[in-house]
Amino acid sequence: MSLVAVPATLVLLGDKWLAAVPFVAAFALIGSLRVLIGPIPTLLLVMGHSKLQATNAWIEFSVFVVAAAVLVPRFGFIGLAYSRLVSAIAIMMVHLANGRLYAGMRIGLMAGAIWRPPVGVAPMATLLPLLASGERAPLLELDLQIAAGAAVYFGWIAPS
């Protein structure tokens, strides 16, 4: 979604919403990060570490507030999205550390299990800007980019 934010925004919201494109892209990236690491907090919850989850929520919120205090004055409203991205990356690191500490998961094994999807985004991120013309109808542009992106991404992921 981050890579097709412009045509997706045009198709779903219309041209009056083009200013929202950076937010659409940022929050799509944030969602991807959360999904990537999502099984770890679920595992810890199942293992009985519910208090840890509450602590993690406060850590994430605290990082967001500090990042917002630094980034909003510098970047304006989009600084909130950047702050959310910073807090998502921070909590991702916390979840990895917690997986190691409380579930005995080795970070190398966790990284080995999740490296393919983020690395698979690189060829997609290289290809899609080359396909963006701005001359096609937004729906056609979106369809083309989704099809090409999916083909490249699944071509990368499938061999695993």
Side-chain angles (χ1 to χ4, degrees):
M1 186 63 175
S2 290
L3 298 173
V4 297
V6 172
T9 300
L10 285 169
V11 169
L12 298 173
L13 301 172
D15 60 354
K16 293 180 183 177
W17 285 88
L18 278 175
V21 166
F23 296 95
V24 170
F27 284 108
L29 180 59
I30 292 162
S32 297
L33 292 175
R34 295 196 62 86
V35 167
L36 188 65
I37 207 74
I40 295 172
T42 303
L43 172 65
L44 295 174
L45 190 61
V46 169
M47 293 176 70
H49 297 289
S50 58
K51 288 182 181 178
L52 183 62
Q53 301 303 58
T55 301
N56 290 345
W58 280 108
I59 291 169
E60 187 173 15
F61 177 71
S62 299
V63 170
F64 171 75
V65 168
V66 170
V70 172
L71 296 174
V72 170
R74 180 173 176 131
F75 296 104
F77 196 54
I78 191 68
L80 287 173
Y82 297 157
S83 301
R84 188 64 192 95
L85 182 58
V86 168
S87 68
I89 292 169
I91 202 64
M92 199 171 141
M93 297 301 130
V94 169
H95 287 319
L96 286 170
N98 286 339
R100 171 88 171 95
L101 291 172
Y102 297 101
M105 299 170 72
R106 293 189 314 201
I107 291 180
L109 287 177
M110 288 186 280
I114 64 172
W115 73 273
R116 286 186 72 80
V119 171
V121 170
M124 215 173 37
T126 303
L127 173 66
L128 293 188
L130 299 174
L131 296 177
S133 74
E135 296 174 12
R136 291 183 280 268
L139 183 58
L140 180 59
E141 185 84 19
L142 181 60
D143 289 344
L144 175 66
Q145 288 186 13
I146 288 173
V152 169
Y153 183 77
F154 289 115
W156 168 259
I157 293 296
S160 63

